Amino acid sequence: MATANLTGKLTMLALTLDDCASIPEVFIKKLRCLSHLFQNTTCLDTICQNSLMIPLVRDLERLLMSQTIRAYHCTREPLPGFFKKEGLRLTKLDQQQDEFICTYGRLFTDCEKNHMRKAWHQYFRVEKNNISRENIIWFCLTKATYESDGVEPFLKFFGGEAIHKPLQSNKTICSKLQKIGSPVIVEVLLPPNSINLACSPAKTLLNAWHRTIRHDVDPLEAETFVHCPLAPSEILNVWAR
């Protein structure tokens, strides 16, 4: 019961980066004084480079890093309820590939399994495409991101990039990967100080504010990654896509 109460409190406190209702009131007051900057252009980068905005962006960034952030992971769920029970783990390429062969190898011929192992080794170890994948989990930070075409491979093929990325040229294997599990969006709570600043959470939230002032501003696609696994208590919702 205590865990449920804690999760409920975190949910209420969690910030949604494409909803300007998540902007703290102290920043709202400052932004209202700077509305003319947002009215004059659709380019958020230009606005954020203004000398009046630089300290605001810096302070908002610092605050957001210390908050619980709502985010979304696009994947295929092996069984209903799996992520609510197990949470989300860090990508560990060799471990996930071995587990995949152990669990689902019966669905593939020996030739296909040999092809998979060679393709994984070539892509991740020889070509070194493991740098942005090992020991992390990637998340979408906005609705525009998880509804974009960029997430389709994660929803279409089972196993995440650790499995499907080097195999997409093999139609037979890919047709089988499409039959394992079901496409889902996993809504999560990212703990304070866990997100990577590769994509600015402040600019993501300011884009939401910008869109209240100008209707010709597009929603921002934004993603981040974390270096920590997420417990079942940090899984808010899982819905079919």
Side-chain angles (χ1 to χ4, degrees):
M1 193 63 157
T3 301
N5 289 340
L6 177 59
T7 302
K9 289 179 181 178
L10 287 174
T11 302
M12 292 177 64
L13 294 171
L15 301 183
T16 304
L17 295 185
D18 54 3
D19 182 357
C20 62
S22 289
I23 303 175
E25 185 61 31
V26 63
F27 288 95
I28 293 289
K29 293 177 180 179
K30 295 177 181 179
L31 287 169
R32 283 176 180 153
C33 294
L34 298 171
S35 290
H36 61 284
L37 298 178
F38 292 85
Q39 290 168 345
N40 290 339
T41 179
T42 60
C43 181
L44 184 60
D45 284 338
T46 298
I47 297 169
C48 291
Q49 290 165 9
N50 186 286
S51 60
L52 297 174
M53 281 292 296
I54 290 173
L56 187 151
V57 174
R58 181 197 61 222
D59 292 344
L60 181 58
E61 200 88 88
R62 186 180 297 129
L63 175 65
L64 293 177
M65 285 297 293
S66 67
Q67 304 301 304
T68 301
I69 301 293
R70 194 183 303 263
Y72 312 89
H73 183 69
C74 303
T75 189
R76 291 183 73 88
E77 188 171 38
L79 295 168
F82 180 86
F83 294 120
K84 285 263 189 172
K85 180 181 178 182
E86 301 293 335
L88 288 170
R89 63 179 180 175
L90 298 176
T91 297
K92 296 186 181 294
L93 295 167
D94 291 340
Q95 177 183 336
Q96 286 176 226
Q97 290 158 6
D98 288 344
E99 288 178 356
F100 177 81
I101 292 294
C102 182
T103 305
Y104 300 105
R106 57 186 169 74
L107 303 176
F108 301 88
T109 67
D110 288 342
C111 182
E112 287 170 339
K113 285 182 282 190
N114 288 334
H115 174 81
M116 283 190 274
R117 291 191 180 97
K118 290 178 181 177
W120 290 333
H121 177 77
Q122 177 66 31
Y123 186 81
F124 292 116
R125 302 306 175 188
V126 177
E127 298 175 15
K128 304 296 183 184
N129 288 302
N130 58 347
I131 296 174
S132 63
R133 297 173 176 87
E134 192 78 69
N135 292 312
I136 60 177
I137 318 172
W138 281 93
F139 294 95
C140 302
L141 290 174
T142 66
K143 181 180 179 181
T145 315
Y146 70 71
E147 290 185 343
S148 71
D149 292 340
V151 305
E152 288 307 313
F154 302 98
L155 299 169
K156 186 175 182 180
F157 304 112
F158 181 80
E161 286 192 320
I163 303 300
H164 76 73
K165 186 66 173 178
L167 305 174
Q168 290 185 13
S169 63
N170 189 302
K171 294 183 179 179
T172 304
I173 291 177
C174 282
S175 68
K176 294 180 180 181
L177 292 178
Q178 292 180 63
K179 296 176 183 177
I180 303 173
S182 302
V184 296
I185 308 294
V186 186
E187 184 181 10
V188 308
L189 296 172
L190 298 183
N193 300 308
S194 66
I195 65 174
N196 182 274
L197 283 175
C199 182
S200 165
K203 288 184 179 181
T204 305
L205 193 50
L206 288 171
N207 168 260
W209 172 261
H210 200 182
R211 286 185 283 115
T212 68
I213 296 174
R214 290 188 60 131
H215 299 301
D216 55 349
V217 173
D218 292 328
L220 188 65
E221 291 183 23
E223 58 185 4
T224 190
F225 60 84
V226 301
H227 288 286
C228 56
L230 296 187
S233 60
E234 293 167 312
I235 307 299
L236 278 182
N237 194 17
V238 179
W239 70 84
R241 170 65 188 273

